[in-house]
Amino acid sequence: MRRFRSSFLISFATIALTAILLSLGFWQLERAELRRAQDELKQERAQLSPVYITSFPGESLEELADRRVRLRGQYLPWQFLLDNQIHDKQPGYHVLSPFELSTYEQVVLINRGWVPGEADRSRLPSVPAPTESEVQLEGVVYLPQPNPFTDSDHLLEGHGWPQVIQGIDYPRLAERLSELSLVPATVRLAENQPHGYTRAWPSPPMSAEKHTAYAVQWFAMAAAVVILFLLYSVRPIFRD
């Protein structure tokens, strides 16, 4: 015969820990559902025909996220090198080239792709800007997420060109571009477009399947806590 016996402190700790683990599991399920919705929307927009952009809207840029667009204008003679970009396990940079639209005084950063870095960090890759007075290009609008771990005081390295940057902070980059009207988005240059480099864009850090797997782990941990609590608390009344 067995009876239930447990202290208030252990019971309270078990309930609190189980609640935390369950909340983390449900949070991961919500993230998985959000990622699936984002992936579906991205696939739907990838099937749409490119839209010709003469000017970017001041608001609601999210409506253009992952859309194929066509732009006409000219590359400006400055280049940003986004640091810490990995391709095939090799570190390098993404080349971000300011592009001024012909029909409106706006500048958008064109991500022309990945280039390898040198072992000597003081040696930067040669990434000259295209020299044509006016070109038409096609790409996909990308809205980078802010990195909370980026130190804004060390966002820019040095003062020469090309300019190495540790993250994309549009107001800071606009200052570096002499206060030009910089659109808070980038356009990833399409694979069939000239003046580009390696265009193997990184995948999102967390897929829907990975979020679901983490949710299962949190739920399993919650179940393990409850089982351990019951094993500890249910004791035999009589012992040999």
Side-chain angles (χ1 to χ4, degrees):
M1 186 178 240
R2 296 176 177 270
R3 66 179 179 182
F4 186 84
R5 181 176 63 186
S6 179
S7 69
F8 170 79
L9 182 61
I10 293 177
S11 299
F12 177 80
T14 300
I15 293 173
L17 181 57
T18 302
I20 292 173
L21 294 173
L22 290 175
S23 65
L24 289 171
F26 286 117
W27 177 73
Q28 287 290 353
L29 289 180
E30 292 176 0
R31 297 293 298 173
E33 188 61 30
L34 177 61
R35 175 56 63 189
R36 289 191 188 94
Q38 291 174 339
D39 291 343
E40 291 176 0
L41 180 61
K42 184 175 181 179
Q43 293 176 2
E44 291 176 1
R45 290 183 172 181
Q47 304 302 318
L48 299 175
S49 300
V51 56
Y52 182 64
I53 298 291
T54 57
S55 66
F56 284 86
E59 299 178 355
S60 303
L61 271 175
E62 290 78 8
E63 296 178 2
L64 288 175
D66 301 315
R67 283 295 307 269
R68 290 189 295 157
V69 296
R70 287 197 179 104
L71 307 175
R72 179 171 291 278
Q74 64 178 3
Y75 284 100
L76 300 178
W78 308 300
Q79 312 294 312
F80 292 109
L81 296 177
L82 181 60
D83 202 358
N84 301 313
Q85 304 302 307
I86 307 298
H87 175 65
D88 285 343
K89 300 181 180 180
Q90 183 178 358
Y93 307 89
H94 277 178
V95 181
L96 304 179
S97 300
F99 186 84
E100 187 172 27
L101 301 183
S102 296
T103 55
Y104 200 81
E105 293 182 355
Q106 283 183 324
V107 173
V108 62
L109 294 177
I110 307 298
N111 191 332
R112 296 163 59 199
W114 177 88
V115 294
E118 299 281 351
D120 182 0
R121 292 273 301 174
S122 65
R123 297 177 58 187
L124 299 178
S126 176
V127 286
T131 57
E132 291 91 338
S133 59
E134 186 174 81
V135 297
Q136 178 171 293
L137 59 82
E138 183 176 320
V140 176
V141 176
Y142 174 67
L143 303 180
Q145 297 298 314
N147 185 351
F149 301 104
T150 299
D151 185 353
S152 61
D153 292 336
H154 297 89
L155 175 69
L156 307 175
E157 293 186 4
H159 299 282
W161 295 100
Q163 174 75 74
V164 177
I165 60 176
Q166 298 301 321
I168 300 179
D169 184 325
Y170 292 105
R172 292 289 303 278
L173 299 184
E175 292 176 7
R176 192 70 179 90
L177 294 172
S178 302
E179 304 292 346
L180 292 174
S181 180
L182 185 62
V183 177
T186 63
V187 173
R188 289 174 165 176
L189 193 64
E191 186 65 35
N192 62 351
Q193 298 295 294
H195 310 306
Y197 302 100
T198 300
R199 278 154 279 184
W201 310 115
S203 302
M206 292 281 283
S207 65
E209 291 74 17
K210 185 171 289 188
H211 280 295
T212 302
Y214 281 137
V216 172
Q217 291 179 9
W218 289 122
F219 291 142
M221 292 175 65
V225 168
V226 173
I227 292 172
L228 290 174
F229 172 74
L230 293 176
L231 291 175
Y232 172 81
S233 301
V234 177
R235 307 286 185 83
I237 293 178
F238 301 105
R239 296 186 179 178
D240 295 336

